């Protein structure tokens, strides 16, 4: 699980920084909370790619409106990846 979280963090950094070409070999597009569903939610303003809508709703209901990665106050928005 730690390795998958590290890969998710690398992917988030690539998408946030938009540096170079996206490295598809990372193969990480799953939710960082359940690792089962596709990742389609982003936390704003921190820009962390979080996970699936179901997990974001559960996280928000249990922990309030904070990003689960940096714990800063956040709103969540659906995103569309290439």
């Amino acid at each position: 699980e730690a390795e998958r979280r590290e890969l998710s963090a690398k992917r988030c950094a690539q998408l946030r920084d938009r540096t170079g070409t996206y490295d598809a070999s990372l193969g990480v597009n799953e939710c960082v909370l359940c690792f089962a569903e596709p990742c389609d939610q982003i936390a704003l303003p921190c820009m962390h790619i979080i996970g699936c809508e179901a997990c974001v709703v559960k996280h928000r209901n249990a922990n309030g409106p904070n990003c689960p990665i940096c714990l800063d106050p956040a709103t969540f928005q659906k995103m569309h990846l290439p």
Side-chain angles (χ1 to χ4, degrees):
E1 186 174 305
E3 182 178 330
R4 293 175 86 178
R5 287 189 184 275
E6 184 178 328
L7 290 175
S8 290
K10 285 181 184 179
R11 181 170 186 259
C12 287
Q14 284 183 333
L15 291 170
R16 185 176 54 250
D17 298 338
R18 302 281 185 202
T19 54
T21 329
Y22 171 65
D23 184 358
S25 69
L26 289 178
V28 179
N29 66 348
E30 70 267 357
C31 173
V32 299
L33 300 169
C34 71
F35 296 114
E37 297 297 322
C39 187
D40 68 355
Q41 299 286 313
I42 187 168
L44 300 172
C46 62
M47 302 288 290
H48 285 123
I49 313 293
I50 303 301
C52 67
E53 185 174 3
C55 283
V56 167
V57 169
K58 286 180 199 172
H59 170 78
R60 190 176 57 229
N61 290 341
N63 303 298
N66 295 322
C67 172
I69 294 176
C70 66
L71 303 179
D72 286 345
T75 58
F76 301 95
Q77 183 176 8
K78 187 172 182 77
M79 62 176 195
H80 302 279
L81 294 175

